[in-house]
Amino acid sequence: MASEIQNLIVNKKIRVSDPLFEEIHRLQADNEENLSKLNTGYHSPSEIRTYLEKITREKIDDSVTVMLPFYTDFGRHISLGKDVFINRQAMFVDLGGIRLEDAVLIGPRANLITVNHLTDPNERRGLIVEPIHVKKNAWIGAAATILPGVTIGENSIVAANSVVTKDVPDHVIVAGTPAKIVKYIEPIS
């Protein structure tokens, strides 16, 4: 998944004056046509995976299901494991990298955001990016938001409408804004 550009930008400030800022926007524009085609009209599951392969530049396993519309602002930094299910209107802001391991479920209107703006008002249009990692068999509920740099643990659940600002350990349910552990799940034996 990691591209040359991703290795240059993760956890670094990208200012508007940086030539990399323009390159990011050029690469983003390259994917607009494929993303538009993906979200226009009916497509079979196989056709959806073919468009996703063009967008991500990765092989998408036949076990992956993505319901349309699917949104991404960059596309090239998404990695999907096997048996992944992504429900309608999911938004992947993936410049920093989004990795979904096997059997991950993403609820409708979920937001996975790897990009933040700089806090200095004079540099506000600049960016800082951090990857998101969702481990095996995790479930992100409807309209939940996962913020930059967060890892969601194996078998864990993010309750609907939650905002996750920190790593989530394995085998828990988190809920709220900011999300906090509300229950422990017995590991699968």
Side-chain angles (χ1 to χ4, degrees):
M1 170 181 73
S3 70
E4 183 178 321
I5 196 166
Q6 188 179 16
N7 294 329
L8 295 173
I9 62 175
V10 170
N11 296 315
K12 296 181 179 93
K13 292 181 180 179
I14 307 158
R15 292 173 175 81
V16 175
S17 60
D18 188 330
L20 201 48
F21 189 84
E22 288 303 316
E23 178 66 5
I24 289 166
H25 286 85
R26 187 191 67 73
L27 292 170
Q28 180 182 12
D30 285 350
N31 257 340
E32 289 299 318
E33 183 177 353
N34 285 322
L35 189 60
S36 178
K37 287 177 180 178
L38 172 67
N39 288 316
T40 304
Y42 170 79
H43 300 291
S44 70
S46 176
E47 291 170 325
I48 291 169
R49 287 189 294 274
T50 297
Y51 276 115
L52 286 172
E53 287 178 354
K54 291 177 185 176
I55 291 167
T56 65
R57 309 250 164 106
E58 272 206 1
K59 173 74 176 133
I60 305 294
D61 192 81
D62 289 346
S63 63
V64 171
T65 300
V66 176
M67 306 298 290
L68 300 179
F70 171 77
Y71 303 110
T72 178
D73 72 331
F74 193 71
R76 293 183 184 200
H77 296 161
I78 297 171
S79 176
L80 304 177
K82 296 178 181 177
D83 297 312
V84 168
F85 177 84
I86 301 172
N87 213 323
R88 298 185 192 288
Q89 297 183 10
M91 178 61 189
F92 284 29
V93 179
D94 66 293
L95 185 59
I98 295 174
R99 179 175 165 216
L100 305 184
E101 290 185 7
D102 296 346
V104 166
L105 301 175
I106 305 291
R109 298 182 330 279
N111 301 293
L112 282 71
I113 313 293
T114 67
V115 176
N116 209 341
H117 289 280
L118 302 178
T119 56
D120 180 338
N122 297 317
E123 297 183 327
R124 185 70 37 90
R125 291 224 176 252
L127 308 172
I128 188 158
V129 301
E130 297 176 86
I132 290 173
H133 181 187
V134 182
K135 292 186 177 179
K136 184 178 177 183
N137 206 41
W139 172 19
I140 310 299
T145 298
I146 313 301
L147 293 179
V150 169
T151 295
I152 306 297
E154 186 172 326
N155 296 316
S156 289
I157 299 170
V158 175
N161 227 22
S162 297
V163 177
V164 183
T165 60
K166 296 179 181 172
D167 289 351
V168 173
D170 296 346
H171 312 292
V172 299
I173 299 173
V174 297
T177 302
K180 295 185 181 352
I181 296 172
V182 296
K183 185 175 182 179
Y184 291 87
I185 303 169
E186 288 296 321
I188 299 169
S189 44

